Amino acid sequence: MRIISVAGARPNFMKIAPLMEAFAATDGIEPMLVHTGQHYDERMSDLFFRQLGIPEPDVNLGVGSGSHAVQTAEVMKAFEPVVLAERPDAVLVVGDVNSTIACGMVAVKLGVKLVHVEAGLRSFDRTMPEEINRVLTDAISDLLFCTEQSGLDNLRREGAADERVFLVGNVMIDTLLKNRAKADASGILDQLGLATGGYAAVTLHRPANVDNPEVLSRLLDVLEAVQRDMPIAFPMHPRTRKNLGGSALAGRMEAMTNLKALDPLGYLDFLKLMSSARIVLTDSGGIQEETTILKVPCLTLRENTERPVTAEVGSNRIVGTDPENILAAYREVMDGRGREPQIPPLWDGRAAERIAQVLTERI
Ligand code: UD1
């Protein structure tokens, strides 16, 4: 069985790594890896391949950045000839980025089975490009692998037949558990002069937060307050850096003497930074899950989450972008108020194995 797995953007790489490993170890699966090139900077892509031991992609489509329509269309144009030449038995896509839906559409229109890993997540916010990508990819997938119960519930409500849907756990958590010891050896805290449990880690990259100067300015109010309490480490996504570039907001950030604005970090350094933080503030999807397994308090600077289990049982709180609300939640965390976080079912490091097993039975 020949399976083409697709990775395009940074959050895909930690999901693809354990799948490639499980496929290589499974009799009867002939894996192939396609990188769409949606992310292309050394620190957004190659570094992750090296650190996570992901095999060199068989093909790199080299698509790069563009508007949503351009990026999606370029991936489709470049991926179609690959599928025609290779004639795989299945195409596997992960997550919710533009590369996910683009390659998914190419596969099903060529009559190739489509497998979606991290299916069924819903923020119910159609202004998020990822929500559109999730809904559409799930609608055309043959096999749907979910990380949490809400995914199954959402897919059932949307009419997916039970025999197509599997709760298997979380491949991104497979990667985290596998790399935790290695990350512990990272020297990032020493490099930045940070003490375990004595700083906040921040990431921001959602268009709704960083493309809108009003919202971004409110979030800077929060960072101003937090950095008066403790140092902030802020590895900055290229989108965020570009938006700040030369603006009045950049000046405000530079004036925060206790905030360290960093280039994007590699996987191991970032895992170390997250796991040793007193608190994490983020608008990322994946970081809500990673802090859950690490039991590090996380404030999600969004109005909603597609990963409700992280807030129901994990260490995550959805706090929006109003500074007062965020700082109230922040103070609760600092005061040690809140419940003891739990680990969601099946987040045990074996999700990729389960997926490989189902694929050998079903394709
Ligand atoms: C994409 C995903 C988002 C994911 C995020 C993680 C979509 C719709 N969005 O958003 O779901 O959470 O990745 O990073 O697919 N850039 C670089 N170097 C790179 C890549 C991008 O400088 O290697 C810059 C470019 O200026 C580009 C901008 O970042 O225009 C945005 O990149 P893009 O791939 O369009 O979306 P992300 O914001 O990264």
Side-chain angles (χ1 to χ4, degrees), residues 9-11 37-45 64-68 71 96-99 129-130 133 205-207 237-240 242 284-285:
R10 184 172 60 179
Q38 177 173 345
H39 284 175
Y40 43 84
D41 284 348
E42 155 72 20
R43 281 166 168 263
M44 297 294 284
S45 175
S65 302
S67 69
H68 285 273
Q71 194 174 53
D96 55 17
V97 302
N98 286 343
S99 301
E130 295 80 5
N133 294 341
H205 77 284
R206 290 263 156 242
H237 189 282
R239 174 189 282 277
T240 312
K242 198 159 111 191
S284 155

Side-chain angles (χ1 to χ4, degrees), residues 205-217:
H205 77 284
R206 290 263 156 242
N209 283 342
V210 304
D211 290 2
N212 180 339
E214 264 171 52
V215 178
L216 191 51
S217 170

Side-chain angles (χ1 to χ4, degrees), residues 61 82 249 253 328:
L61 306 177
V82 176
L249 296 177
M253 224 171 74

Side-chain angles (χ1 to χ4, degrees), residues 21-134:
E21 198 183 324
F23 292 171
T26 304
D27 277 345
I29 295 186
E30 187 195 324
M32 237 188 108
L33 180 60
V34 171
H35 189 330
T36 65
Q38 177 173 345
H39 284 175
Y40 43 84
D41 284 348
E42 155 72 20
R43 281 166 168 263
M44 297 294 284
S45 175
D46 289 7
L47 184 54
F48 287 79
F49 275 73
R50 286 199 304 278
Q51 290 194 340
L52 301 178
I54 307 170
E56 189 73 14
D58 297 283
V59 183
N60 190 321
L61 306 177
V63 163
S65 302
S67 69
H68 285 273
V70 167
Q71 194 174 53
T72 308
E74 291 298 333
V75 172
M76 289 183 74
K77 272 160 63 184
F79 188 55
E80 188 178 55
V82 176
V83 178
L84 284 171
E86 300 295 335
R87 284 279 151 207
D89 299 291
V91 165
L92 178 148
V93 294
V94 297
D96 55 17
V97 302
N98 286 343
S99 301
T100 307
I101 179 61
C103 293
M105 272 202 284
V106 168
V108 294
K109 290 198 170 185
L110 291 175
V112 175
K113 285 207 160 55
L114 181 62
V115 179
H116 187 205
V117 173
E118 203 188 82
L121 297 180
R122 297 287 181 269
S123 66
F124 303 103
D125 173 2
R126 296 242 170 153
T127 66
M128 280 179 86
E130 295 80 5
E131 182 74 354
I132 308 296
N133 294 341
R134 289 190 280 259

